[in-house]
Amino acid sequence: MLEKKIADKIHEIRKNKGLTLAQLGDATGLSKGLLSRIENNQVSPPIATLSKIARGLEVPIGIFFEEDETDREGYAVTYKNDRKQVIRRGTKTGFTYYSLTSLKSRHFIEPFIIRYPVIEKEPNKLFDHPGEEFLLVLKGEMDLVYGKKKIRLKAGDAIHFDPSTPHRGQNAGKEESECLVIVIDEDTLKAKS
Amino acid sequence: MLEKKIADKIHEIRKNKGLTLAQLGDATGLSKGLLSRIENNQVSPPIATLSKIARGLEVPIGIFFEEDETDREGYAVTYKNDRKQVIRRGTKTGFTYYSLTSLKSRHFIEPFIIRYPVIEKEPNKLFDHPGEEFLLVLKGEMDLVYGKKKIRLKAGDAIHFDPSTPHRGQNAGKEESECLVIVIDEDTLKAKS
DNA sequence: CTAAAAAGTTTAATAAAAGAAAAAATGTTT
DNA sequence: AAACATTTTTTCTTTTATTAAACTTTTTAG
């Protein structure tokens, strides 16, 4: 039941922040009695009221509507200096891959570091593949060519995208750029089931 | 204003689906008069009512609270300075999460930046969950407590592991440490098939 | 262990939203 | 442009949320 969860989330966040009903009442302009009944799921507050509560708790209101997060060796460390360079099929475009995992058992996350050298002329090849991809820029500046768009990303920026659209990463600065890439392969997903 | 947006979204989605107020009324069990006033922002409906509308429109209720609709494009950029802090339920352990995605459609990769403050005494809580996890240290030094082991990791080091073993990340130095974490949730995987 | 204080819950009165149906507006056909 | 049909808005009554204050439970202090 949706509102049950909301009630619990409000209660939990309030408690985590060490607030009393009276304090939250002050912060929101709502009576503590009402807050009590909301937390106990006795009333279904209007959006306006929930919005006040979110502001009072200093959380985005969307939190209340997010789906729940579930809650031998089993691991593989890759130390910075032990990164293993990988040759991936069909990547003759100058950049370098380093795998960040050595897990042999079936897994979904495929983590890489990619280094893009400075380029003179823009390549034209684009790649597409089913699955899901995530990229975090670690160093320098780069462009993600994505379909007809070109998205400029700097160190610390991230992008999460559907790789079935033709795309390509490339350096966009005067120094080498580096990024972390996570790929999930559709086939691996299917093999799971 | 929040509710204004919600009203507009309901109207837009309903129109997009080619539904009349009466049809949506049938689908939701609400009167068309009420729906009219909700769309015209004359009332602030309780969550229960909004929930019914979401079901009637066959959309996740969270849609009404999303900031923007980046999803249509197939990608979601998170610029370094726009990282959104996330409150994950049950994390009272001091560290801070930032989500690196705003994709709303079903996805597998859940990317976070986690900041670990310097600690005095070691916490004792461990977390375990089904799925798969990957971690890359971006700054500082940290320990991954994994079952009975403690794995020391420095900037640039990575670990790929099975999160069903109880585990915890924690700072292991004199300055704040930071890491990228990728989680894949088992439930999401199952939902796929 | 008891008293006082703080936190939380319930009660009774008021304000606001929901349902049903009438009125207005919009669109279509002739 | 009139008449009809459909969609939307408004009206009136009923139901529900909200406040303020009384009440109960839990925590703190002596």
Tab-separated table of all heavy atoms in Angstrom, chain A residues 128-170:
chain	number	residue	atom	x	y	z
A	128	ASP	N	26.900	0.856	-31.620
A	128	ASP	CA	25.675	0.659	-30.847
A	128	ASP	C	25.558	-0.802	-30.452
A	128	ASP	O	26.026	-1.695	-31.162
A	128	ASP	CB	24.448	1.094	-31.648
A	128	ASP	CG	24.269	0.308	-32.922
A	128	ASP	OD1	24.967	0.623	-33.920
A	128	ASP	OD2	23.447	-0.625	-32.917
A	129	HIS	N	24.981	-1.017	-29.318
A	129	HIS	CA	24.816	-2.379	-28.797
A	129	HIS	C	23.683	-2.367	-27.785
A	129	HIS	O	23.445	-1.356	-27.123
A	129	HIS	CB	26.117	-2.862	-28.151
A	129	HIS	CG	26.700	-1.879	-27.184
A	129	HIS	ND1	26.416	-1.902	-25.848
A	129	HIS	CD2	27.541	-0.826	-27.360
A	129	HIS	CE1	27.069	-0.920	-25.236
A	129	HIS	NE2	27.764	-0.246	-26.131
A	130	PRO	N	22.981	-3.472	-27.667
A	130	PRO	CA	21.891	-3.516	-26.691
A	130	PRO	C	22.465	-3.529	-25.277
A	130	PRO	O	23.639	-3.825	-25.089
A	130	PRO	CB	21.194	-4.843	-26.995
A	130	PRO	CG	22.233	-5.683	-27.640
A	130	PRO	CD	23.149	-4.742	-28.381
A	131	GLY	N	21.663	-3.180	-24.322
A	131	GLY	CA	22.100	-3.213	-22.932
A	131	GLY	C	21.971	-1.853	-22.275
A	131	GLY	O	20.989	-1.155	-22.486
A	132	GLU	N	22.955	-1.520	-21.492
A	132	GLU	CA	22.887	-0.281	-20.725
A	132	GLU	C	24.303	0.191	-20.454
A	132	GLU	O	25.220	-0.628	-20.299
A	132	GLU	CB	22.149	-0.565	-19.407
A	132	GLU	CG	21.741	0.659	-18.641
A	132	GLU	CD	20.937	0.291	-17.390
A	132	GLU	OE1	20.243	-0.744	-17.395
A	132	GLU	OE2	21.045	1.034	-16.402
A	133	GLU	N	24.504	1.479	-20.410
A	133	GLU	CA	25.859	1.984	-20.243
A	133	GLU	C	25.874	3.198	-19.325
A	133	GLU	O	24.929	3.987	-19.305
A	133	GLU	CB	26.435	2.342	-21.626
A	133	GLU	CG	27.940	2.550	-21.623
A	133	GLU	CD	28.569	2.414	-23.023
A	133	GLU	OE1	27.931	1.788	-23.911
A	133	GLU	OE2	29.684	2.928	-23.220
A	134	PHE	N	26.963	3.294	-18.596
A	134	PHE	CA	27.145	4.414	-17.675
A	134	PHE	C	28.583	4.883	-17.790
A	134	PHE	O	29.500	4.072	-17.925
A	134	PHE	CB	26.851	3.980	-16.241
A	134	PHE	CG	27.240	5.016	-15.223
A	134	PHE	CD1	26.398	6.076	-14.925
A	134	PHE	CD2	28.462	4.943	-14.576
A	134	PHE	CE1	26.760	7.034	-14.005
A	134	PHE	CE2	28.831	5.906	-13.639
A	134	PHE	CZ	27.976	6.951	-13.357
A	135	LEU	N	28.783	6.197	-17.709
A	135	LEU	CA	30.120	6.754	-17.912
A	135	LEU	C	30.374	7.885	-16.930
A	135	LEU	O	29.496	8.738	-16.730
A	135	LEU	CB	30.179	7.262	-19.358
A	135	LEU	CG	31.486	7.761	-19.960
A	135	LEU	CD1	31.393	7.646	-21.477
A	135	LEU	CD2	31.755	9.186	-19.566
A	136	LEU	N	31.523	7.856	-16.299
A	136	LEU	CA	31.914	8.935	-15.384
A	136	LEU	C	33.279	9.448	-15.818
A	136	LEU	O	34.239	8.674	-15.931
A	136	LEU	CB	32.002	8.411	-13.949
A	136	LEU	CG	32.621	9.356	-12.915
A	136	LEU	CD1	31.710	10.552	-12.634
A	136	LEU	CD2	32.922	8.621	-11.608
A	137	VAL	N	33.367	10.743	-16.070
A	137	VAL	CA	34.645	11.313	-16.510
A	137	VAL	C	35.563	11.493	-15.307
A	137	VAL	O	35.177	12.106	-14.308
A	137	VAL	CB	34.433	12.663	-17.219
A	137	VAL	CG1	35.776	13.234	-17.668
A	137	VAL	CG2	33.491	12.500	-18.392
A	138	LEU	N	36.759	10.924	-15.418
A	138	LEU	CA	37.711	10.991	-14.302
A	138	LEU	C	38.737	12.093	-14.516
A	138	LEU	O	39.225	12.696	-13.564
A	138	LEU	CB	38.436	9.655	-14.157
A	138	LEU	CG	37.554	8.441	-13.859
A	138	LEU	CD1	38.394	7.163	-13.856
A	138	LEU	CD2	36.834	8.615	-12.532
A	139	LYS	N	39.043	12.350	-15.767
A	139	LYS	CA	40.122	13.311	-16.046
A	139	LYS	C	39.874	13.950	-17.403
A	139	LYS	O	39.388	13.286	-18.322
A	139	LYS	CB	41.467	12.560	-16.067
A	139	LYS	CG	42.665	13.398	-15.681
A	139	LYS	CD	43.964	12.596	-15.818
A	139	LYS	CE	44.455	12.564	-17.254
A	139	LYS	NZ	45.643	11.702	-17.420
A	140	GLY	N	40.207	15.215	-17.526
A	140	GLY	CA	40.125	15.885	-18.811
A	140	GLY	C	38.705	16.199	-19.236
A	140	GLY	O	37.802	16.324	-18.409
A	141	GLU	N	38.541	16.291	-20.515
A	141	GLU	CA	37.280	16.750	-21.067
A	141	GLU	C	36.978	15.874	-22.278
A	141	GLU	O	37.869	15.555	-23.054
A	141	GLU	CB	37.461	18.204	-21.509
A	141	GLU	CG	36.204	18.974	-21.630
A	141	GLU	CD	36.474	20.491	-21.601
A	141	GLU	OE1	37.475	20.907	-20.969
A	141	GLU	OE2	35.707	21.221	-22.203
A	142	MET	N	35.717	15.512	-22.434
A	142	MET	CA	35.400	14.649	-23.564
A	142	MET	C	34.004	14.946	-24.123
A	142	MET	O	33.202	15.621	-23.479
A	142	MET	CB	35.501	13.183	-23.161
A	142	MET	CG	34.545	12.778	-22.070
A	142	MET	SD	34.586	10.990	-21.794
A	142	MET	CE	33.735	10.391	-23.258
A	143	ASP	N	33.795	14.447	-25.306
A	143	ASP	CA	32.466	14.527	-25.904
A	143	ASP	C	31.910	13.133	-26.036
A	143	ASP	O	32.622	12.203	-26.424
A	143	ASP	CB	32.544	15.139	-27.316
A	143	ASP	CG	32.696	16.646	-27.281
A	143	ASP	OD1	32.166	17.262	-26.335
A	143	ASP	OD2	33.351	17.198	-28.178
A	144	LEU	N	30.627	13.006	-25.706
A	144	LEU	CA	29.945	11.785	-26.077
A	144	LEU	C	29.058	12.129	-27.269
A	144	LEU	O	28.125	12.926	-27.160
A	144	LEU	CB	29.087	11.239	-24.926
A	144	LEU	CG	28.403	9.914	-25.293
A	144	LEU	CD1	29.417	8.779	-25.335
A	144	LEU	CD2	27.281	9.589	-24.323
A	145	VAL	N	29.423	11.554	-28.397
A	145	VAL	CA	28.560	11.705	-29.567
A	145	VAL	C	27.462	10.664	-29.404
A	145	VAL	O	27.758	9.464	-29.268
A	145	VAL	CB	29.352	11.467	-30.869
A	145	VAL	CG1	28.438	11.640	-32.063
A	145	VAL	CG2	30.531	12.421	-30.937
A	146	TYR	N	26.233	11.127	-29.374
A	146	TYR	CA	25.110	10.229	-29.085
A	146	TYR	C	24.024	10.509	-30.099
A	146	TYR	O	23.307	11.507	-30.006
A	146	TYR	CB	24.603	10.472	-27.661
A	146	TYR	CG	23.559	9.482	-27.212
A	146	TYR	CD1	23.938	8.227	-26.725
A	146	TYR	CD2	22.205	9.791	-27.273
A	146	TYR	CE1	22.986	7.316	-26.320
A	146	TYR	CE2	21.245	8.883	-26.858
A	146	TYR	CZ	21.642	7.643	-26.380
A	146	TYR	OH	20.695	6.740	-25.969
A	147	GLY	N	23.896	9.631	-31.068
A	147	GLY	CA	22.967	9.903	-32.162
A	147	GLY	C	23.437	11.165	-32.862
A	147	GLY	O	24.593	11.274	-33.259
A	148	LYS	N	22.557	12.144	-32.942
A	148	LYS	CA	22.939	13.386	-33.613
A	148	LYS	C	23.443	14.427	-32.631
A	148	LYS	O	23.801	15.540	-33.011
A	148	LYS	CB	21.738	13.933	-34.391
A	148	LYS	CG	21.417	13.104	-35.619
A	148	LYS	CD	20.083	13.501	-36.230
A	148	LYS	CE	19.743	12.571	-37.385
A	148	LYS	NZ	18.318	12.602	-37.730
A	149	LYS	N	23.430	14.048	-31.350
A	149	LYS	CA	23.862	15.022	-30.350
A	149	LYS	C	25.322	14.850	-30.004
A	149	LYS	O	25.891	13.772	-30.165
A	149	LYS	CB	23.026	14.863	-29.080
A	149	LYS	CG	21.571	15.100	-29.334
A	149	LYS	CD	20.848	15.495	-28.073
A	149	LYS	CE	19.472	15.998	-28.478
A	149	LYS	NZ	18.511	16.002	-27.412
A	150	LYS	N	25.896	15.901	-29.498
A	150	LYS	CA	27.245	15.821	-28.954
A	150	LYS	C	27.207	16.427	-27.557
A	150	LYS	O	26.879	17.597	-27.391
A	150	LYS	CB	28.230	16.574	-29.837
A	150	LYS	CG	29.675	16.369	-29.417
A	150	LYS	CD	30.620	17.222	-30.248
A	150	LYS	CE	30.789	16.677	-31.660
A	150	LYS	NZ	31.806	17.435	-32.427
A	151	ILE	N	27.525	15.598	-26.572
A	151	ILE	CA	27.378	16.024	-25.186
A	151	ILE	C	28.757	16.227	-24.580
A	151	ILE	O	29.567	15.303	-24.519
A	151	ILE	CB	26.590	14.969	-24.385
A	151	ILE	CG1	25.221	14.766	-25.032
A	151	ILE	CG2	26.452	15.396	-22.935
A	151	ILE	CD1	24.607	13.418	-24.781
A	152	ARG	N	29.027	17.452	-24.135
A	152	ARG	CA	30.323	17.786	-23.566
A	152	ARG	C	30.356	17.418	-22.075
A	152	ARG	O	29.474	17.824	-21.320
A	152	ARG	CB	30.568	19.291	-23.737
A	152	ARG	CG	31.849	19.817	-23.125
A	152	ARG	CD	33.090	19.218	-23.769
A	152	ARG	NE	33.101	19.297	-25.226
A	152	ARG	CZ	33.701	20.260	-25.921
A	152	ARG	NH1	34.323	21.251	-25.301
A	152	ARG	NH2	33.680	20.239	-27.244
A	153	LEU	N	31.357	16.671	-21.696
A	153	LEU	CA	31.465	16.220	-20.310
A	153	LEU	C	32.852	16.518	-19.766
A	153	LEU	O	33.851	16.300	-20.450
A	153	LEU	CB	31.205	14.715	-20.228
A	153	LEU	CG	29.834	14.247	-20.697
A	153	LEU	CD1	29.813	12.733	-20.859
A	153	LEU	CD2	28.755	14.686	-19.726
A	154	LYS	N	32.887	16.991	-18.523
A	154	LYS	CA	34.156	17.296	-17.869
A	154	LYS	C	34.349	16.400	-16.652
A	154	LYS	O	33.414	15.739	-16.221
A	154	LYS	CB	34.175	18.764	-17.440
A	154	LYS	CG	33.930	19.692	-18.602
A	154	LYS	CD	33.876	21.150	-18.170
A	154	LYS	CE	33.577	21.997	-19.410
A	154	LYS	NZ	33.705	23.428	-19.156
A	155	ALA	N	35.536	16.450	-16.106
A	155	ALA	CA	35.849	15.588	-14.959
A	155	ALA	C	34.766	15.707	-13.894
A	155	ALA	O	34.417	16.802	-13.479
A	155	ALA	CB	37.209	15.940	-14.394
A	156	GLY	N	34.242	14.588	-13.459
A	156	GLY	CA	33.196	14.571	-12.441
A	156	GLY	C	31.800	14.437	-13.028
A	156	GLY	O	30.872	14.066	-12.329
A	157	ASP	N	31.642	14.730	-14.301
A	157	ASP	CA	30.328	14.578	-14.927
A	157	ASP	C	30.076	13.113	-15.249
A	157	ASP	O	31.004	12.347	-15.482
A	157	ASP	CB	30.252	15.394	-16.220
A	157	ASP	CG	30.361	16.892	-15.975
A	157	ASP	OD1	30.164	17.314	-14.817
A	157	ASP	OD2	30.650	17.629	-16.940
A	158	ALA	N	28.823	12.772	-15.278
A	158	ALA	CA	28.453	11.377	-15.551
A	158	ALA	C	27.293	11.337	-16.526
A	158	ALA	O	26.517	12.279	-16.622
A	158	ALA	CB	28.060	10.681	-14.252
A	159	ILE	N	27.185	10.252	-17.237
A	159	ILE	CA	26.025	10.073	-18.106
A	159	ILE	C	25.623	8.607	-18.110
A	159	ILE	O	26.471	7.718	-18.073
A	159	ILE	CB	26.296	10.586	-19.539
A	159	ILE	CG1	25.037	10.468	-20.394
A	159	ILE	CG2	27.463	9.846	-20.176
A	159	ILE	CD1	25.131	11.234	-21.703
A	160	HIS	N	24.349	8.402	-18.102
A	160	HIS	CA	23.768	7.066	-18.023
A	160	HIS	C	22.887	6.970	-19.246
A	160	HIS	O	21.971	7.768	-19.401
A	160	HIS	CB	22.944	6.993	-16.732
A	160	HIS	CG	22.405	5.636	-16.417
A	160	HIS	ND1	21.690	5.390	-15.270
A	160	HIS	CD2	22.467	4.472	-17.067
A	160	HIS	CE1	21.338	4.119	-15.232
A	160	HIS	NE2	21.791	3.539	-16.327
A	161	PHE	N	23.150	6.017	-20.122
A	161	PHE	CA	22.414	6.066	-21.380
A	161	PHE	C	22.125	4.698	-21.976
A	161	PHE	O	22.684	3.684	-21.576
A	161	PHE	CB	23.155	6.941	-22.396
A	161	PHE	CG	24.545	6.459	-22.735
A	161	PHE	CD1	24.778	5.674	-23.861
A	161	PHE	CD2	25.614	6.797	-21.923
A	161	PHE	CE1	26.056	5.244	-24.182
A	161	PHE	CE2	26.901	6.363	-22.229
A	161	PHE	CZ	27.123	5.585	-23.359
A	162	ASP	N	21.242	4.732	-22.923
A	162	ASP	CA	20.857	3.550	-23.681
A	162	ASP	C	21.816	3.421	-24.855
A	162	ASP	O	21.801	4.239	-25.771
A	162	ASP	CB	19.422	3.739	-24.170
A	162	ASP	CG	18.963	2.612	-25.082
A	162	ASP	OD1	19.772	1.712	-25.379
A	162	ASP	OD2	17.790	2.635	-25.493
A	163	PRO	N	22.659	2.382	-24.860
A	163	PRO	CA	23.715	2.288	-25.863
A	163	PRO	C	23.219	1.751	-27.197
A	163	PRO	O	24.038	1.558	-28.109
A	163	PRO	CB	24.723	1.334	-25.218
A	163	PRO	CG	23.892	0.463	-24.356
A	163	PRO	CD	22.735	1.292	-23.876
A	164	SER	N	21.920	1.532	-27.316
A	164	SER	CA	21.429	1.052	-28.612
A	164	SER	C	21.350	2.203	-29.613
A	164	SER	O	21.171	1.983	-30.804
A	164	SER	CB	20.075	0.356	-28.447
A	164	SER	OG	19.107	1.261	-27.994
A	165	THR	N	21.435	3.417	-29.116
A	165	THR	CA	21.613	4.556	-30.016
A	165	THR	C	23.097	4.626	-30.392
A	165	THR	O	23.953	4.536	-29.513
A	165	THR	CB	21.205	5.865	-29.309
A	165	THR	OG1	19.826	5.813	-28.988
A	165	THR	CG2	21.493	7.066	-30.189
A	166	PRO	N	23.416	4.789	-31.668
A	166	PRO	CA	24.827	4.820	-32.065
A	166	PRO	C	25.578	5.939	-31.334
A	166	PRO	O	25.086	7.066	-31.259
A	166	PRO	CB	24.760	5.096	-33.578
A	166	PRO	CG	23.418	4.584	-33.986
A	166	PRO	CD	22.518	4.844	-32.827
A	167	HIS	N	26.733	5.612	-30.817
A	167	HIS	CA	27.450	6.578	-29.990
A	167	HIS	C	28.952	6.359	-30.049
A	167	HIS	O	29.427	5.321	-30.514
A	167	HIS	CB	26.966	6.471	-28.541
A	167	HIS	CG	27.205	5.116	-27.938
A	167	HIS	ND1	26.381	4.033	-28.207
A	167	HIS	CD2	28.175	4.648	-27.118
A	167	HIS	CE1	26.825	2.972	-27.561
A	167	HIS	NE2	27.928	3.316	-26.894
A	168	ARG	N	29.675	7.338	-29.525
A	168	ARG	CA	31.135	7.252	-29.489
A	168	ARG	C	31.645	8.266	-28.487
A	168	ARG	O	31.111	9.375	-28.373
A	168	ARG	CB	31.698	7.592	-30.873
A	168	ARG	CG	33.189	7.834	-30.915
A	168	ARG	CD	33.651	8.254	-32.298
A	168	ARG	NE	33.271	9.620	-32.610
A	168	ARG	CZ	32.595	9.980	-33.692
A	168	ARG	NH1	32.216	9.087	-34.578
A	168	ARG	NH2	32.291	11.244	-33.889
A	169	GLY	N	32.668	7.872	-27.751
A	169	GLY	CA	33.340	8.816	-26.873
A	169	GLY	C	34.583	9.334	-27.561
A	169	GLY	O	35.217	8.609	-28.332
A	170	GLN	N	34.941	10.584	-27.277
A	170	GLN	CA	36.187	11.111	-27.861
A	170	GLN	C	36.696	12.260	-27.016
A	170	GLN	O	35.938	12.934	-26.321
A	170	GLN	CB	35.955	11.569	-29.294
A	170	GLN	CG	34.933	12.689	-29.404
A	170	GLN	CD	34.545	12.968	-30.848
A	170	GLN	OE1	34.336	12.049	-31.640
A	170	GLN	NE2	34.452	14.245	-31.188
